[in-house]
Structure formats: C-alpha cells, structure tokens
Amino acid sequence: MKHALITGITGQDGSYLAELLLEKGYEVYGIMRRKSVVDYGNVEHIKDKIHFIYADMTDPVSLITAMKISMADEVYNLAAQSFVATSWEQPLATANIDAIGVTNMLEAIRIVKPEARFYQASTSEMFGLVQAVPQCETTPFYPRSPYGVAKLYGHWITKNYRESYNLFACSGILFNHESERRGKEFVTRKITDAAARIKLGKQERVELGNLSAKRDWGHSKDYVRAMWLMLQADAPDDYVVATGETRTVREFTETAFAHLGMKIRWEGEGVDEKGIDEATGKVVVKVNPQFFRPAEVELLLGDPTKAETKLGWKREISFSDLVERMVKNDFELVSKEN
C-alpha cells in the first residue's frame, strides 16, 4: 500500500485528490494547521479515512516530522495562499507560504525520504502578461501579482531540486480549475452563488470586476487526476494542464444565469433598486472598478498537448457541465438556508 502526503488537503484540489487516492488504495496523510476550532473543510465527509498531521508550510521542522510520520511515497504540495487579490494585501505572507514553503517541503523530503515523489502545484498565473498564445511548457513567464511571483519561485525551486538532487519532482502548471467546492472569494463561485441567491430572491444583484478577462476553465476533479499521473510516469517532468479553450468572465456569468433560466442586463439606464430591469425583467450585473486587479491578467489559454500525449490525460467535464454543476450545487445549498 502506497503512502501519500497531501498539503492543503482541506481545500478544493486536496479533497478531490484525497478521494482519488483513497479509491486507488492509498494510505492518505494530510497536513493541517492547528486552529482554535478544528475545520476539516472539503474533506469533512472522508475525515475518518485520513491521517491528519498538524504542520505548517512556514515551519520546516513540522514538515520534517510530517514526512517521518507518513513516510510518504508521494507528496502532493497543494497548500498555498491561493487568492490573487489577497496576495496584494499580504505579499510577504504569500511569499513565505507559496515560495519558501515549497523549499521547506523539498528539504523535508530530501532529509527524510529522498526517493519519495513530489508534485508541486504551479499555476497559469505565472504566465501573467502572456508572451505567446496558447501557453505551453516552454512559454516565457511574466507573473503580474505577488501570488504569481511566489508561485514562480516554487516552480523553479522544484526544477532545481530535481536537477541538483535527482529528486523525482514534478510541477503541474494548472490553468483555472473550479468546482462545487471552490471558495466563495473566487469569481466563479461568487457568480454561481449569486445566481442561486438571485433566483431564490435572497440577493438583489451582483457586482463583478473585469468582464473581459479570458480564462481557460476546467474542473478540479479532472485536474487532480493529472497530478497523480505525473507521479506515475517513468521520469519527472513539468506539464501544462488545461482545456485548450478560453472564455471571458462575461461568458461564464451568462452561462451560469442561463442554467437557472435568467438573462442578464448589464448595468445601465432603467434599472430599479432591486437590481431587476423593470422593462425586461433581466437580472442586472454591475461592473465595479473595486474588483479590478492592480495589474490585470487579460488572457490565459493553455496547450495541454504534452500532458495528453505523454500522460494519457484528457479532461472529461466540459465548460458547460462545470458551470451547471456549480450552479446546481449552489442552488441546493441556498435552498436549504433559513
């Protein structure tokens, strides 16, 4: 039986990965930060099947201990301060967790069990001001946020440990991947939650930022499968994981509201105070400059050819199905609220 250690196990990706590994017969260990109130997040439903270890990405001693306890054959580093907007408010904390934290984990592996296989969660945000369309493994990086910069350090330190210490260390350059378990601070979940609340009369309108920003959106459940496949390969390497399709925030919003039978009227004349256009009955979505980034990332479009050909990976959940799943889940959640 293989042992796997997952950092960030309570998050979106960590929970789907834990489910996948449990299905494959792994002994799963997960790192949690100690809090005054225990919060199992997205793994509440499988918490009894997971061995939890208290540790922190900024505390290398705790990570060494976690490696000794788990004796992991595979380590998946999914822990991060992953909200781009917050990285502008907390740039140093983001760097400590997303950059230095990766080095701490790699050192723990090198010291305790150097034959363990390591997966680093890199991100399309490293491309930032894109230098080529679509983006692949050889496209130059140009991050546009403290989050993107910190993740770029994590990406390159992983490559350096692979080449310097002969560690089996891979980075997955994952493009935007969402799900029903996405946090509400992310724009996709903000949209689907708002659509459900407006449909049920519990919210009047929704305000968004840059509607023209284009993203390559897939489902987290597909993407964690790519993570696992990378660590089953004969040799370590880096891979772009994406759908090869791009859509605007405006398109995502329209698709989400359409799944609930609603049409959108973007902010304009003839809008009443409840957010409904009296003339057409369409839901109003306002553009709020407050939600624009200091430095915008306008277009992300990944080329997953390498992952598809070398790993045999293929996404299975379409964009429309992704949005529909999120909207349906939020509608059910909001319906159960008092």
Side-chain angles (χ1 to χ4, degrees), residues 158-204:
T158 298
K159 187 185 290 283
N160 272 260
Y161 269 65
R162 179 171 72 218
E163 296 175 353
S164 301
Y165 297 118
N166 199 32
L167 296 186
F168 194 108
C170 303
S171 285
I173 307 173
L174 271 57
F175 279 65
N176 294 67
H177 49 290
E178 317 297 326
S179 77
E180 305 88 309
R181 301 175 186 175
R182 180 55 108 179
K184 291 183 181 179
E185 69 272 23
F186 291 86
V187 68
T188 50
R189 185 76 192 287
K190 178 181 179 179
I191 291 167
T192 59
D193 178 67
R197 292 182 181 280
I198 292 171
K199 181 69 174 180
L200 292 166
K202 297 190 176 186
Q203 184 170 319
E204 295 180 348

mmCIF file of all heavy atoms in Angstrom, residues 158-204:
data_model
loop_
_atom_site.group_PDB
_atom_site.id
_atom_site.type_symbol
_atom_site.label_atom_id
_atom_site.label_comp_id
_atom_site.label_asym_id
_atom_site.label_seq_id
_atom_site.Cartn_x
_atom_site.Cartn_y
_atom_site.Cartn_z
ATOM 1 N N THR A 158 11.518 23.773 -7.483
ATOM 2 C CA THR A 158 11.209 22.359 -7.719
ATOM 3 C C THR A 158 12.086 21.799 -8.834
ATOM 4 O O THR A 158 12.659 20.710 -8.719
ATOM 5 C CB THR A 158 9.721 22.191 -8.078
ATOM 6 O OG1 THR A 158 8.913 22.637 -6.989
ATOM 7 C CG2 THR A 158 9.387 20.742 -8.386
ATOM 8 N N LYS A 159 12.191 22.569 -9.910
ATOM 9 C CA LYS A 159 13.052 22.145 -11.028
ATOM 10 C C LYS A 159 14.509 22.039 -10.581
ATOM 11 O O LYS A 159 15.231 21.105 -10.948
ATOM 12 C CB LYS A 159 12.924 23.150 -12.177
ATOM 13 C CG LYS A 159 13.645 22.731 -13.451
ATOM 14 C CD LYS A 159 13.580 23.834 -14.487
ATOM 15 C CE LYS A 159 12.176 24.008 -15.048
ATOM 16 N NZ LYS A 159 11.849 22.937 -16.035
ATOM 17 N N ASN A 160 14.953 22.985 -9.745
ATOM 18 C CA ASN A 160 16.338 22.963 -9.272
ATOM 19 C C ASN A 160 16.630 21.768 -8.370
ATOM 20 O O ASN A 160 17.703 21.168 -8.455
ATOM 21 C CB ASN A 160 16.660 24.276 -8.539
ATOM 22 C CG ASN A 160 17.166 25.355 -9.492
ATOM 23 O OD1 ASN A 160 18.359 25.584 -9.592
ATOM 24 N ND2 ASN A 160 16.259 26.006 -10.198
ATOM 25 N N TYR A 161 15.711 21.413 -7.506
ATOM 26 C CA TYR A 161 15.915 20.243 -6.650
ATOM 27 C C TYR A 161 15.903 18.964 -7.479
ATOM 28 O O TYR A 161 16.625 18.010 -7.167
ATOM 29 C CB TYR A 161 14.844 20.187 -5.556
ATOM 30 C CG TYR A 161 15.267 20.892 -4.290
ATOM 31 C CD1 TYR A 161 15.477 22.269 -4.281
ATOM 32 C CD2 TYR A 161 15.487 20.190 -3.115
ATOM 33 C CE1 TYR A 161 15.873 22.926 -3.129
ATOM 34 C CE2 TYR A 161 15.893 20.831 -1.944
ATOM 35 C CZ TYR A 161 16.090 22.204 -1.965
ATOM 36 O OH TYR A 161 16.498 22.846 -0.816
ATOM 37 N N ARG A 162 15.107 18.943 -8.521
ATOM 38 C CA ARG A 162 15.081 17.779 -9.419
ATOM 39 C C ARG A 162 16.439 17.604 -10.089
ATOM 40 O O ARG A 162 16.978 16.490 -10.145
ATOM 41 C CB ARG A 162 13.988 17.971 -10.477
ATOM 42 C CG ARG A 162 13.896 16.821 -11.478
ATOM 43 C CD ARG A 162 12.652 16.970 -12.341
ATOM 44 N NE ARG A 162 12.729 18.036 -13.315
ATOM 45 C CZ ARG A 162 11.705 18.833 -13.654
ATOM 46 N NH1 ARG A 162 10.536 18.697 -13.059
ATOM 47 N NH2 ARG A 162 11.851 19.760 -14.564
ATOM 48 N N GLU A 163 16.986 18.688 -10.578
ATOM 49 C CA GLU A 163 18.234 18.623 -11.337
ATOM 50 C C GLU A 163 19.467 18.547 -10.440
ATOM 51 O O GLU A 163 20.490 17.977 -10.827
ATOM 52 C CB GLU A 163 18.323 19.823 -12.272
ATOM 53 C CG GLU A 163 17.217 19.830 -13.335
ATOM 54 C CD GLU A 163 17.226 21.075 -14.206
ATOM 55 O OE1 GLU A 163 18.018 22.012 -13.901
ATOM 56 O OE2 GLU A 163 16.448 21.132 -15.180
ATOM 57 N N SER A 164 19.396 19.126 -9.236
ATOM 58 C CA SER A 164 20.559 19.169 -8.348
ATOM 59 C C SER A 164 20.660 17.941 -7.454
ATOM 60 O O SER A 164 21.754 17.452 -7.170
ATOM 61 C CB SER A 164 20.501 20.424 -7.479
ATOM 62 O OG SER A 164 20.486 21.591 -8.274
ATOM 63 N N TYR A 165 19.506 17.441 -6.985
ATOM 64 C CA TYR A 165 19.496 16.324 -6.042
ATOM 65 C C TYR A 165 18.896 15.051 -6.621
ATOM 66 O O TYR A 165 18.727 14.054 -5.912
ATOM 67 C CB TYR A 165 18.723 16.714 -4.781
ATOM 68 C CG TYR A 165 19.352 17.857 -4.017
ATOM 69 C CD1 TYR A 165 18.667 19.051 -3.850
ATOM 70 C CD2 TYR A 165 20.621 17.735 -3.461
ATOM 71 C CE1 TYR A 165 19.222 20.110 -3.138
ATOM 72 C CE2 TYR A 165 21.202 18.780 -2.753
ATOM 73 C CZ TYR A 165 20.497 19.972 -2.596
ATOM 74 O OH TYR A 165 21.060 21.007 -1.896
ATOM 75 N N ASN A 166 18.544 15.109 -7.900
ATOM 76 C CA ASN A 166 17.976 13.944 -8.578
ATOM 77 C C ASN A 166 16.678 13.471 -7.914
ATOM 78 O O ASN A 166 16.380 12.275 -7.871
ATOM 79 C CB ASN A 166 18.984 12.790 -8.622
ATOM 80 C CG ASN A 166 18.630 11.768 -9.691
ATOM 81 O OD1 ASN A 166 18.071 12.115 -10.734
ATOM 82 N ND2 ASN A 166 18.949 10.512 -9.442
ATOM 83 N N LEU A 167 15.895 14.415 -7.381
ATOM 84 C CA LEU A 167 14.599 14.085 -6.813
ATOM 85 C C LEU A 167 13.585 13.879 -7.931
ATOM 86 O O LEU A 167 13.665 14.509 -8.986
ATOM 87 C CB LEU A 167 14.095 15.208 -5.899
ATOM 88 C CG LEU A 167 14.890 15.523 -4.629
ATOM 89 C CD1 LEU A 167 14.128 16.564 -3.802
ATOM 90 C CD2 LEU A 167 15.138 14.270 -3.800
ATOM 91 N N PHE A 168 12.621 13.004 -7.681
ATOM 92 C CA PHE A 168 11.518 12.837 -8.627
ATOM 93 C C PHE A 168 10.518 13.945 -8.298
ATOM 94 O O PHE A 168 9.585 13.745 -7.506
ATOM 95 C CB PHE A 168 10.875 11.462 -8.492
ATOM 96 C CG PHE A 168 9.966 11.117 -9.638
ATOM 97 C CD1 PHE A 168 10.347 10.161 -10.579
ATOM 98 C CD2 PHE A 168 8.739 11.746 -9.799
ATOM 99 C CE1 PHE A 168 9.510 9.829 -11.647
ATOM 100 C CE2 PHE A 168 7.899 11.434 -10.862
ATOM 101 C CZ PHE A 168 8.290 10.469 -11.787
ATOM 102 N N ALA A 169 10.726 15.122 -8.881
ATOM 103 C CA ALA A 169 9.924 16.298 -8.561
ATOM 104 C C ALA A 169 9.299 16.865 -9.824
ATOM 105 O O ALA A 169 9.999 17.171 -10.786
ATOM 106 C CB ALA A 169 10.794 17.359 -7.881
ATOM 107 N N CYS A 170 7.987 16.983 -9.829
ATOM 108 C CA CYS A 170 7.234 17.469 -10.991
ATOM 109 C C CYS A 170 6.446 18.723 -10.624
ATOM 110 O O CYS A 170 6.016 18.888 -9.480
ATOM 111 C CB CYS A 170 6.226 16.425 -11.464
ATOM 112 S SG CYS A 170 6.925 14.824 -11.874
ATOM 113 N N SER A 171 6.231 19.570 -11.614
ATOM 114 C CA SER A 171 5.334 20.708 -11.442
ATOM 115 C C SER A 171 4.209 20.610 -12.456
ATOM 116 O O SER A 171 4.452 20.403 -13.648
ATOM 117 C CB SER A 171 6.080 22.037 -11.642
ATOM 118 O OG SER A 171 6.886 22.347 -10.530
ATOM 119 N N GLY A 172 2.998 20.775 -11.971
ATOM 120 C CA GLY A 172 1.846 20.848 -12.857
ATOM 121 C C GLY A 172 1.440 22.298 -13.011
ATOM 122 O O GLY A 172 1.052 22.938 -12.026
ATOM 123 N N ILE A 173 1.576 22.832 -14.221
ATOM 124 C CA ILE A 173 1.185 24.221 -14.468
ATOM 125 C C ILE A 173 -0.308 24.206 -14.788
ATOM 126 O O ILE A 173 -0.717 24.104 -15.950
ATOM 127 C CB ILE A 173 2.013 24.837 -15.613
ATOM 128 C CG1 ILE A 173 3.510 24.653 -15.353
ATOM 129 C CG2 ILE A 173 1.675 26.326 -15.779
ATOM 130 C CD1 ILE A 173 4.400 25.071 -16.510
ATOM 131 N N LEU A 174 -1.094 24.266 -13.733
ATOM 132 C CA LEU A 174 -2.535 24.116 -13.881
ATOM 133 C C LEU A 174 -3.202 25.451 -14.213
ATOM 134 O O LEU A 174 -2.974 26.453 -13.529
ATOM 135 C CB LEU A 174 -3.145 23.533 -12.606
ATOM 136 C CG LEU A 174 -3.199 22.006 -12.534
ATOM 137 C CD1 LEU A 174 -1.827 21.384 -12.691
ATOM 138 C CD2 LEU A 174 -3.850 21.560 -11.233
ATOM 139 N N PHE A 175 -4.017 25.421 -15.251
ATOM 140 C CA PHE A 175 -4.824 26.594 -15.578
ATOM 141 C C PHE A 175 -6.069 26.569 -14.696
ATOM 142 O O PHE A 175 -6.276 25.646 -13.909
ATOM 143 C CB PHE A 175 -5.150 26.597 -17.071
ATOM 144 C CG PHE A 175 -4.014 27.128 -17.912
ATOM 145 C CD1 PHE A 175 -2.796 26.447 -17.972
ATOM 146 C CD2 PHE A 175 -4.139 28.316 -18.622
ATOM 147 C CE1 PHE A 175 -1.739 26.941 -18.707
ATOM 148 C CE2 PHE A 175 -3.085 28.820 -19.366
ATOM 149 C CZ PHE A 175 -1.884 28.135 -19.414
ATOM 150 N N ASN A 176 -6.874 27.612 -14.774
ATOM 151 C CA ASN A 176 -8.007 27.772 -13.862
ATOM 152 C C ASN A 176 -8.866 26.517 -13.805
ATOM 153 O O ASN A 176 -9.338 26.046 -14.834
ATOM 154 C CB ASN A 176 -8.865 28.966 -14.270
ATOM 155 C CG ASN A 176 -8.126 30.278 -14.103
ATOM 156 O OD1 ASN A 176 -7.154 30.537 -14.807
ATOM 157 N ND2 ASN A 176 -8.578 31.098 -13.184
ATOM 158 N N HIS A 177 -9.057 25.999 -12.628
ATOM 159 C CA HIS A 177 -9.920 24.833 -12.449
ATOM 160 C C HIS A 177 -10.821 25.092 -11.254
ATOM 161 O O HIS A 177 -10.375 25.500 -10.189
ATOM 162 C CB HIS A 177 -9.107 23.544 -12.296
ATOM 163 C CG HIS A 177 -7.995 23.631 -11.308
ATOM 164 N ND1 HIS A 177 -6.863 24.389 -11.523
ATOM 165 C CD2 HIS A 177 -7.840 23.056 -10.088
ATOM 166 C CE1 HIS A 177 -6.061 24.277 -10.488
ATOM 167 N NE2 HIS A 177 -6.638 23.481 -9.593
ATOM 168 N N GLU A 178 -12.084 24.885 -11.465
ATOM 169 C CA GLU A 178 -13.111 25.236 -10.493
ATOM 170 C C GLU A 178 -13.904 23.994 -10.118
ATOM 171 O O GLU A 178 -13.683 22.918 -10.646
ATOM 172 C CB GLU A 178 -14.056 26.289 -11.083
ATOM 173 C CG GLU A 178 -13.355 27.402 -11.853
ATOM 174 C CD GLU A 178 -12.432 28.239 -10.990
ATOM 175 O OE1 GLU A 178 -12.763 28.440 -9.792
ATOM 176 O OE2 GLU A 178 -11.389 28.704 -11.480
ATOM 177 N N SER A 179 -14.867 24.160 -9.218
ATOM 178 C CA SER A 179 -15.750 23.061 -8.846
ATOM 179 C C SER A 179 -16.779 23.566 -7.851
ATOM 180 O O SER A 179 -16.747 24.733 -7.434
ATOM 181 C CB SER A 179 -14.966 21.908 -8.211
ATOM 182 O OG SER A 179 -14.627 22.222 -6.870
ATOM 183 N N GLU A 180 -17.646 22.661 -7.446
ATOM 184 C CA GLU A 180 -18.636 22.966 -6.432
ATOM 185 C C GLU A 180 -17.976 23.284 -5.085
ATOM 186 O O GLU A 180 -18.611 23.893 -4.218
ATOM 187 C CB GLU A 180 -19.576 21.771 -6.246
ATOM 188 C CG GLU A 180 -20.246 21.305 -7.539
ATOM 189 C CD GLU A 180 -19.442 20.274 -8.324
ATOM 190 O OE1 GLU A 180 -18.242 20.510 -8.591
ATOM 191 O OE2 GLU A 180 -20.024 19.219 -8.662
ATOM 192 N N ARG A 181 -16.720 22.900 -4.923
ATOM 193 C CA ARG A 181 -16.008 23.108 -3.664
ATOM 194 C C ARG A 181 -15.136 24.352 -3.665
ATOM 195 O O ARG A 181 -14.391 24.596 -2.722
ATOM 196 C CB ARG A 181 -15.158 21.867 -3.356
ATOM 197 C CG ARG A 181 -15.980 20.597 -3.239
ATOM 198 C CD ARG A 181 -15.108 19.373 -3.059
ATOM 199 N NE ARG A 181 -15.911 18.137 -3.096
ATOM 200 C CZ ARG A 181 -15.409 16.916 -3.057
ATOM 201 N NH1 ARG A 181 -14.088 16.745 -2.972
ATOM 202 N NH2 ARG A 181 -16.209 15.859 -3.103
ATOM 203 N N ARG A 182 -15.209 25.130 -4.698
ATOM 204 C CA ARG A 182 -14.413 26.354 -4.794
ATOM 205 C C ARG A 182 -14.866 27.352 -3.729
ATOM 206 O O ARG A 182 -16.050 27.467 -3.427
ATOM 207 C CB ARG A 182 -14.572 26.958 -6.192
ATOM 208 C CG ARG A 182 -13.793 28.232 -6.425
ATOM 209 C CD ARG A 182 -12.338 28.047 -6.124
ATOM 210 N NE ARG A 182 -11.489 28.020 -7.298
ATOM 211 C CZ ARG A 182 -10.176 27.884 -7.242
ATOM 212 N NH1 ARG A 182 -9.588 27.746 -6.071
ATOM 213 N NH2 ARG A 182 -9.452 27.854 -8.333
ATOM 214 N N GLY A 183 -13.919 28.089 -3.139
ATOM 215 C CA GLY A 183 -14.254 29.098 -2.139
ATOM 216 C C GLY A 183 -15.025 30.258 -2.756
ATOM 217 O O GLY A 183 -14.841 30.593 -3.928
ATOM 218 N N LYS A 184 -15.881 30.873 -1.964
ATOM 219 C CA LYS A 184 -16.747 31.933 -2.485
ATOM 220 C C LYS A 184 -16.003 33.233 -2.788
ATOM 221 O O LYS A 184 -16.561 34.142 -3.391
ATOM 222 C CB LYS A 184 -17.882 32.208 -1.496
ATOM 223 C CG LYS A 184 -18.884 31.069 -1.403
ATOM 224 C CD LYS A 184 -20.037 31.412 -0.472
ATOM 225 C CE LYS A 184 -21.020 30.266 -0.367
ATOM 226 N NZ LYS A 184 -22.153 30.570 0.551
ATOM 227 N N GLU A 185 -14.737 33.328 -2.376
ATOM 228 C CA GLU A 185 -13.973 34.533 -2.702
ATOM 229 C C GLU A 185 -13.501 34.530 -4.152
ATOM 230 O O GLU A 185 -13.087 35.560 -4.677
ATOM 231 C CB GLU A 185 -12.770 34.679 -1.754
ATOM 232 C CG GLU A 185 -11.674 33.641 -1.946
ATOM 233 C CD GLU A 185 -11.894 32.375 -1.123
ATOM 234 O OE1 GLU A 185 -13.039 32.091 -0.746
ATOM 235 O OE2 GLU A 185 -10.901 31.667 -0.864
ATOM 236 N N PHE A 186 -13.566 33.377 -4.809
ATOM 237 C CA PHE A 186 -13.164 33.280 -6.210
ATOM 238 C C PHE A 186 -14.331 33.671 -7.111
ATOM 239 O O PHE A 186 -15.490 33.365 -6.818
ATOM 240 C CB PHE A 186 -12.685 31.862 -6.539
ATOM 241 C CG PHE A 186 -11.380 31.507 -5.874
ATOM 242 C CD1 PHE A 186 -11.361 31.000 -4.580
ATOM 243 C CD2 PHE A 186 -10.173 31.692 -6.525
ATOM 244 C CE1 PHE A 186 -10.164 30.686 -3.956
ATOM 245 C CE2 PHE A 186 -8.964 31.385 -5.911
ATOM 246 C CZ PHE A 186 -8.961 30.881 -4.618
ATOM 247 N N VAL A 187 -14.023 34.328 -8.222
ATOM 248 C CA VAL A 187 -15.074 34.929 -9.042
ATOM 249 C C VAL A 187 -16.078 33.905 -9.568
ATOM 250 O O VAL A 187 -17.277 34.182 -9.652
ATOM 251 C CB VAL A 187 -14.464 35.747 -10.208
ATOM 252 C CG1 VAL A 187 -13.762 34.846 -11.228
ATOM 253 C CG2 VAL A 187 -15.536 36.588 -10.894
ATOM 254 N N THR A 188 -15.626 32.702 -9.907
ATOM 255 C CA THR A 188 -16.552 31.704 -10.453
ATOM 256 C C THR A 188 -17.612 31.311 -9.433
ATOM 257 O O THR A 188 -18.803 31.268 -9.741
ATOM 258 C CB THR A 188 -15.781 30.449 -10.902
ATOM 259 O OG1 THR A 188 -14.919 30.033 -9.827
ATOM 260 C CG2 THR A 188 -14.942 30.740 -12.138
ATOM 261 N N ARG A 189 -17.177 31.030 -8.214
ATOM 262 C CA ARG A 189 -18.127 30.643 -7.163
ATOM 263 C C ARG A 189 -18.962 31.840 -6.739
ATOM 264 O O ARG A 189 -20.140 31.700 -6.379
ATOM 265 C CB ARG A 189 -17.370 30.055 -5.981
ATOM 266 C CG ARG A 189 -18.286 29.516 -4.879
ATOM 267 C CD ARG A 189 -18.922 28.179 -5.245
ATOM 268 N NE ARG A 189 -19.988 27.856 -4.296
ATOM 269 C CZ ARG A 189 -19.793 27.468 -3.041
ATOM 270 N NH1 ARG A 189 -18.545 27.320 -2.577
ATOM 271 N NH2 ARG A 189 -20.818 27.211 -2.255
ATOM 272 N N LYS A 190 -18.382 33.024 -6.753
ATOM 273 C CA LYS A 190 -19.146 34.241 -6.456
ATOM 274 C C LYS A 190 -20.315 34.378 -7.421
ATOM 275 O O LYS A 190 -21.429 34.720 -7.035
ATOM 276 C CB LYS A 190 -18.231 35.465 -6.555
ATOM 277 C CG LYS A 190 -18.938 36.796 -6.316
ATOM 278 C CD LYS A 190 -17.964 37.956 -6.461
ATOM 279 C CE LYS A 190 -18.669 39.292 -6.259
ATOM 280 N NZ LYS A 190 -17.724 40.433 -6.384
ATOM 281 N N ILE A 191 -20.051 34.060 -8.693
ATOM 282 C CA ILE A 191 -21.088 34.167 -9.729
ATOM 283 C C ILE A 191 -22.170 33.116 -9.535
ATOM 284 O O ILE A 191 -23.365 33.426 -9.555
ATOM 285 C CB ILE A 191 -20.452 34.030 -11.129
ATOM 286 C CG1 ILE A 191 -19.578 35.251 -11.438
ATOM 287 C CG2 ILE A 191 -21.532 33.863 -12.204
ATOM 288 C CD1 ILE A 191 -18.666 35.075 -12.643
ATOM 289 N N THR A 192 -21.781 31.864 -9.343
ATOM 290 C CA THR A 192 -22.795 30.797 -9.240
ATOM 291 C C THR A 192 -23.601 30.920 -7.951
ATOM 292 O O THR A 192 -24.808 30.657 -7.934
ATOM 293 C CB THR A 192 -22.153 29.400 -9.340
ATOM 294 O OG1 THR A 192 -21.177 29.232 -8.299
ATOM 295 C CG2 THR A 192 -21.487 29.208 -10.693
ATOM 296 N N ASP A 193 -22.953 31.342 -6.878
ATOM 297 C CA ASP A 193 -23.671 31.558 -5.625
ATOM 298 C C ASP A 193 -24.664 32.709 -5.779
ATOM 299 O O ASP A 193 -25.813 32.621 -5.323
ATOM 300 C CB ASP A 193 -22.677 31.855 -4.502
ATOM 301 C CG ASP A 193 -23.349 32.151 -3.179
ATOM 302 O OD1 ASP A 193 -23.959 31.233 -2.611
ATOM 303 O OD2 ASP A 193 -23.279 33.312 -2.720
ATOM 304 N N ALA A 194 -24.235 33.789 -6.442
ATOM 305 C CA ALA A 194 -25.119 34.940 -6.662
ATOM 306 C C ALA A 194 -26.304 34.565 -7.542
ATOM 307 O O ALA A 194 -27.439 34.995 -7.288
ATOM 308 C CB ALA A 194 -24.331 36.083 -7.291
ATOM 309 N N ALA A 195 -26.050 33.764 -8.574
ATOM 310 C CA ALA A 195 -27.137 33.340 -9.467
ATOM 311 C C ALA A 195 -28.203 32.591 -8.684
ATOM 312 O O ALA A 195 -29.410 32.826 -8.847
ATOM 313 C CB ALA A 195 -26.584 32.465 -10.587
ATOM 314 N N ALA A 196 -27.765 31.693 -7.793
ATOM 315 C CA ALA A 196 -28.711 30.923 -6.981
ATOM 316 C C ALA A 196 -29.488 31.830 -6.036
ATOM 317 O O ALA A 196 -30.710 31.702 -5.887
ATOM 318 C CB ALA A 196 -27.958 29.852 -6.191
ATOM 319 N N ARG A 197 -28.788 32.763 -5.403
ATOM 320 C CA ARG A 197 -29.444 33.648 -4.436
ATOM 321 C C ARG A 197 -30.426 34.599 -5.109
ATOM 322 O O ARG A 197 -31.509 34.888 -4.567
ATOM 323 C CB ARG A 197 -28.387 34.431 -3.659
ATOM 324 C CG ARG A 197 -27.568 33.553 -2.738
ATOM 325 C CD ARG A 197 -26.543 34.314 -1.924
ATOM 326 N NE ARG A 197 -25.802 33.370 -1.092
ATOM 327 C CZ ARG A 197 -26.256 32.870 0.052
ATOM 328 N NH1 ARG A 197 -27.429 33.266 0.513
ATOM 329 N NH2 ARG A 197 -25.545 32.003 0.736
ATOM 330 N N ILE A 198 -30.055 35.099 -6.270
ATOM 331 C CA ILE A 198 -30.960 35.998 -7.002
ATOM 332 C C ILE A 198 -32.190 35.233 -7.467
ATOM 333 O O ILE A 198 -33.316 35.723 -7.388
ATOM 334 C CB ILE A 198 -30.213 36.660 -8.176
ATOM 335 C CG1 ILE A 198 -29.152 37.622 -7.643
ATOM 336 C CG2 ILE A 198 -31.190 37.392 -9.099
ATOM 337 C CD1 ILE A 198 -28.205 38.167 -8.697
ATOM 338 N N LYS A 199 -31.991 34.020 -7.956
ATOM 339 C CA LYS A 199 -33.107 33.196 -8.407
ATOM 340 C C LYS A 199 -34.079 32.925 -7.255
ATOM 341 O O LYS A 199 -35.309 32.899 -7.452
ATOM 342 C CB LYS A 199 -32.575 31.873 -8.961
ATOM 343 C CG LYS A 199 -33.664 30.927 -9.484
ATOM 344 C CD LYS A 199 -34.314 31.457 -10.755
ATOM 345 C CE LYS A 199 -35.280 30.458 -11.348
ATOM 346 N NZ LYS A 199 -35.924 30.969 -12.589
ATOM 347 N N LEU A 200 -33.547 32.731 -6.060
ATOM 348 C CA LEU A 200 -34.373 32.411 -4.898
ATOM 349 C C LEU A 200 -34.808 33.647 -4.118
ATOM 350 O O LEU A 200 -35.412 33.532 -3.045
ATOM 351 C CB LEU A 200 -33.616 31.455 -3.974
ATOM 352 C CG LEU A 200 -33.389 30.050 -4.549
ATOM 353 C CD1 LEU A 200 -32.346 29.292 -3.729
ATOM 354 C CD2 LEU A 200 -34.703 29.271 -4.583
ATOM 355 N N GLY A 201 -34.499 34.835 -4.654
ATOM 356 C CA GLY A 201 -34.932 36.077 -4.014
ATOM 357 C C GLY A 201 -34.176 36.435 -2.756
ATOM 358 O O GLY A 201 -34.658 37.217 -1.926
ATOM 359 N N LYS A 202 -32.964 35.899 -2.584
ATOM 360 C CA LYS A 202 -32.175 36.168 -1.376
ATOM 361 C C LYS A 202 -31.048 37.173 -1.617
ATOM 362 O O LYS A 202 -30.299 37.499 -0.696
ATOM 363 C CB LYS A 202 -31.603 34.857 -0.821
ATOM 364 C CG LYS A 202 -32.690 33.877 -0.372
ATOM 365 C CD LYS A 202 -32.111 32.708 0.379
ATOM 366 C CE LYS A 202 -33.225 31.799 0.902
ATOM 367 N NZ LYS A 202 -32.712 30.714 1.766
ATOM 368 N N GLN A 203 -30.907 37.620 -2.840
ATOM 369 C CA GLN A 203 -29.883 38.608 -3.187
ATOM 370 C C GLN A 203 -30.426 39.455 -4.320
ATOM 371 O O GLN A 203 -31.196 38.968 -5.158
ATOM 372 C CB GLN A 203 -28.578 37.906 -3.592
ATOM 373 C CG GLN A 203 -27.416 38.846 -3.881
ATOM 374 C CD GLN A 203 -26.101 38.087 -4.047
ATOM 375 O OE1 GLN A 203 -25.812 37.147 -3.304
ATOM 376 N NE2 GLN A 203 -25.307 38.490 -5.026
ATOM 377 N N GLU A 204 -30.047 40.733 -4.340
ATOM 378 C CA GLU A 204 -30.647 41.644 -5.312
ATOM 379 C C GLU A 204 -29.851 41.760 -6.603
ATOM 380 O O GLU A 204 -30.425 41.850 -7.686
ATOM 381 C CB GLU A 204 -30.826 43.023 -4.681
ATOM 382 C CG GLU A 204 -31.824 43.022 -3.532
ATOM 383 C CD GLU A 204 -31.996 44.388 -2.906
ATOM 384 O OE1 GLU A 204 -31.171 45.281 -3.213
ATOM 385 O OE2 GLU A 204 -32.938 44.564 -2.122
#
